Amino acid sequence: MLMKYFLLALCYLKLERFTEAKQDCDAALKLEPTNKKAFYRRALANKGLKDYLACSSDLQEVLQQDPSVQEAEKELEEVTVLLRQSLAHASPAKPRTTVPITEVDGDEETSVSPDSEGSCRGDITINLQPTNVYEFGQALNAARCSGNTTACTDLLASAAPEMLPQYLSTQLDGHTISFIMQVLDSHLLEKDPNLVYQHLNHLHTTDRFSTVLMMLEKDDRRHMTHLFEHLSAVESTEFTKNDVQNLANKYI
Ligand SMILES: *[C@@H]1O[C@H](CO)[C@@H](O)[C@H](O)[C@H]1NC(C)=O
């Protein structure tokens, strides 16, 4: 069965019938969700369909399973360029509504330990109703240290997107970004895609964001690409696929 889909996918790719090729890869991946060849062929189909975000996501999946696949590495380099070009030519995003940033009382000076592992010792009581920057930082840190995605989901669900950069400014590091991305993707997206979009729309304005982004591990990048891919598949009245692509450009 799997073999049949594979061969079909290959034929369709050769015939440049990318939609059919993609469908056969989807079918193959249903039967065997970790099959790297199916991911690779679907990446080529997505490339043919000019869906570079999905293509990039598939290629990263291949490389995650087997970092030695040089064709995938090469394709990924090429498709990253194509993705950037397509984003550069995308129509400009809708003008943003500006949101006044309200100051949070006090505590700006008290910063959570900024070392990259964060302060992962001891105490894992998580305050799910932080009232200021410091408490939010502590709660998020505690959630990350104990791998408590439920607590992190609750924290992000109740945080105002425009406050996120301030909340995170004291402790932005790769671990935190990566944990937030995972939670947005696997927990919050299903419940509230508009909030995920809004959070992402503000998160990248946090101080030092681009520096931290450059230091992310491959796995973390893969999570991020997945998140944007999932988000761009969402039908929403508050953002378009194009908005998501423009936003992805700030991250990927
Ligand atoms: C996550 O944190 C919340 C709030 O502190 C707590 O009630 C819950 O038991 C924690 N879950 C896990 C799996 O540790």
Side-chain angles (χ1 to χ4, degrees):
M1 201 59 177
L2 192 62
M3 206 55 204
K4 184 189 95 180
Y5 288 126
F6 263 168
L7 291 174
L8 277 174
L10 190 60
C11 291
Y12 283 133
L13 279 177
K14 291 212 163 125
L15 293 169
E16 304 199 349
R17 286 168 64 181
F18 300 117
T19 308
E20 289 94 335
K22 181 178 151 82
Q23 281 163 357
D24 283 319
C25 293
D26 287 342
L29 285 167
K30 269 215 179 98
L31 295 175
E32 199 180 308
T34 57
N35 191 294
K36 74 180 174 197
K37 271 194 192 155
F39 275 113
Y40 185 68
R41 285 183 188 168
R42 193 172 67 179
L44 296 181
N46 277 324
K47 187 177 165 199
L49 292 167
K50 297 194 166 39
D51 187 345
Y52 302 127
L53 199 54
C55 175
S56 162
S57 172
D58 284 342
L59 291 170
Q60 289 181 66
E61 193 67 49
V62 174
L63 290 167
Q64 150 81 3
Q65 288 176 30
D66 182 355
S68 71
V69 187
Q70 282 172 5
E71 303 96 295
E73 192 84 53
K74 238 181 77 201
E75 285 288 344
L76 185 58
E77 264 171 44
E78 196 186 316
V79 86
T80 305
V81 174
L82 290 172
L83 181 60
R84 288 192 182 281
Q85 282 172 354
S86 75
L87 291 168
H89 295 141
S91 55
K94 281 181 283 183
R96 256 188 239 157
T97 46
T98 49
V99 186
I101 308 282
T102 42
E103 283 296 323
V104 169
D105 286 338
D107 278 326
E108 243 75 299
E109 306 299 88
T110 344
S111 80
V112 176
S113 159
D115 57 307
S116 68
E117 282 304 319
S119 37
C120 268
R121 42 198 111 80
D123 180 25
I124 51 156
T125 339
I126 305 172
N127 172 6
L128 291 177
Q129 270 134 14
T131 56
N132 59 38
V133 172
Y134 175 66
E135 284 180 10
F136 186 90
Q138 273 206 322
L140 184 64
N141 206 36
R144 178 174 70 74
C145 289
S146 53
N148 189 332
T149 50
T150 318
C152 183
T153 309
D154 289 351
L155 284 168
L156 290 173
S158 57
E162 63 274 17
M163 289 304 294
L164 213 52
Q166 229 181 316
Y167 278 165
L168 295 173
S169 59
T170 55
Q171 54 156 20
L172 195 71
D173 59 37
H175 302 282
T176 307
I177 291 195
S178 145
F179 187 59
I180 289 177
M181 292 292 166
Q182 279 177 49
V183 167
L184 290 180
D185 190 22
S186 46
H187 293 78
L188 209 53
L189 191 62
E190 217 177 337
K191 285 186 205 158
D192 192 349
N194 292 330
L195 182 62
V196 170
Y197 178 79
Q198 285 305 326
H199 274 337
L200 288 170
N201 208 1
H202 286 88
L203 181 63
H204 70 87
T205 65
T206 311
D207 280 352
R208 294 187 301 115
F209 182 82
S210 52
T211 316
V212 175
L213 202 59
M214 278 191 298
M215 297 184 299
L216 280 191
E217 308 275 342
K218 244 187 193 162
D219 268 8
D220 298 337
R221 284 183 192 286
R222 195 171 48 86
H223 279 135
M224 206 140 75
T225 319
H226 279 309
L227 170 59
F228 279 103
E229 195 199 347
H230 296 154
L231 191 61
S232 76
V234 170
E235 298 282 339
S236 164
T237 51
E238 296 192 19
F239 57 85
T240 65
K241 216 177 156 85
N242 218 334
D243 293 336
V244 176
Q245 295 244 321
N246 281 318
L247 191 54
N249 195 28
K250 305 217 162 45
Y251 288 82
I252 294 166

